[in-house]
Amino acid sequence: MMDLPNLIPATLQRRYKRFLADVVLDDGTPLTVHCPNTGAMTGCAPDGARVWLSHSNSKTRKYPHTWELVETPQGMACIHSARANKVVREGIEQGRLPEFAAYPSIQSEVRYGEGSRADLLLSNDDARVFVEVKSVTLCLEEGLGAFPDAVSARGQKHIRELVGALDERTRAVLLFCVMHEGIQRVTGARHIDPAYCETLAAGIGAGLEVQAWRCAVSDAALTLTEPLPFSLDAV
């Protein structure tokens, strides 16, 4: 479980310029806040939605508040995509992902490939695992979650780099951290980025492993809880 800072409730007015959102606090105070998500955030930014904010005391920030959570018709979602890496790392450290128990060393942001950084590198004396974490918040019909929610050339590059790292002592795992409580299963968003799905299919054929894990979302904590089904072409 990853505890969140004390969050401030508000009402969303609009998201714009990718990194900004206007909200109104419960006391009526209007604020412009930082939006830490570069994706389309489809379904996660409806006008008038209940949202939760964190606050930074940094003197260098123009917008000290950060949008963290949103309440959607399908359930709570965490739109702060960088939190997924920390949630997964904490889950591994706490033994929630038992298949990684054999790798006691955990490093973050490790350089590899052609200028890429692995979100996590797990290792022991004999083997290692590169783990790329992706936050999933796009909730389609009937509990189906999809990635990506926007065309992602960067995501394709990550898949190719992971495949390039494979050898007899190296595994590569693409881990979808599902940060939307309405999602029950995960697929590739072929209707949004067919090239990404084709790259992913080729990666799986070359030995890339894919996992999806549910993250329970509340205004107090984020917790990796259980694996979810993944199929590249689920409908």
Side-chain angles (χ1 to χ4, degrees):
M1 181 174 69
M2 186 182 79
D3 292 333
L4 293 172
N6 291 329
L7 299 184
I8 304 164
T11 300
L12 179 67
Q13 300 298 296
R14 61 171 182 149
R15 180 215 184 190
Y16 57 104
K17 295 182 179 178
R18 294 178 70 191
F19 298 107
L20 297 177
D22 289 340
V23 306
V24 176
L25 300 183
D26 286 356
D27 66 3
T29 303
L31 285 178
T32 297
V33 304
H34 173 60
C35 177
N37 190 309
T38 61
M41 287 177 54
T42 303
C44 288
D47 293 349
R50 191 69 165 165
V51 299
W52 284 261
L53 319 171
S54 60
H55 179 267
S56 171
N57 292 319
S58 171
K59 302 297 184 183
T60 60
R61 286 188 52 162
K62 182 176 181 179
Y63 303 106
H65 293 84
T66 297
W67 180 6
E68 300 277 352
L69 311 178
V70 60
E71 185 175 352
T72 78
Q74 295 80 25
M76 289 281 283
C78 175
I79 62 91
H80 193 158
S81 52
R83 297 236 182 241
N85 293 2
K86 298 177 182 178
V87 168
V88 171
R89 175 166 183 155
E90 186 173 78
I92 294 172
E93 291 173 339
Q94 294 176 349
R96 295 178 183 271
L97 289 79
E99 72 167 274
F100 296 134
Y103 305 93
S105 174
I106 305 178
Q107 299 170 268
S108 298
E109 296 294 320
V110 178
R111 290 184 179 275
Y112 79 111
E114 299 295 327
S116 291
R117 290 179 181 266
D119 291 325
L120 298 171
L121 175 61
L122 318 179
S123 61
N124 57 32
D125 291 339
D126 302 311
R128 61 183 185 170
V129 187
F130 285 103
V131 181
E132 180 72 23
V133 178
K134 297 297 185 185
S135 171
V136 181
T137 58
L138 176 56
C139 184
L140 306 177
E141 295 180 353
E142 300 180 349
L144 181 62
F147 185 91
D149 71 349
V151 174
S152 179
R154 184 167 177 263
Q156 295 177 49
K157 178 176 183 288
H158 287 160
I159 293 170
R160 291 191 291 267
E161 296 280 35
L162 286 169
V163 171
L166 290 168
D167 59 35
E168 60 186 18
R169 64 179 296 269
T170 304
R171 295 167 58 191
V173 176
L174 180 61
L175 194 152
F176 292 115
C177 182
V178 177
M179 304 184 78
H180 190 306
E181 294 210 307
I183 295 174
Q184 309 298 324
R185 54 199 175 99
V186 180
T187 189
R190 190 173 296 278
H191 63 295
I192 293 174
D193 192 348
Y196 178 87
C197 292
E198 291 169 6
T199 303
L200 180 52
I204 293 171
L208 175 67
E209 302 170 46
V210 179
Q211 299 183 19
W213 279 80
R214 181 197 305 280
C215 176
V217 180
S218 77
D219 60 359
L222 304 173
T223 308
L224 210 63
T225 58
E226 61 182 338
L228 293 176
F230 171 82
S231 173
L232 190 55
D233 293 302
V235 293

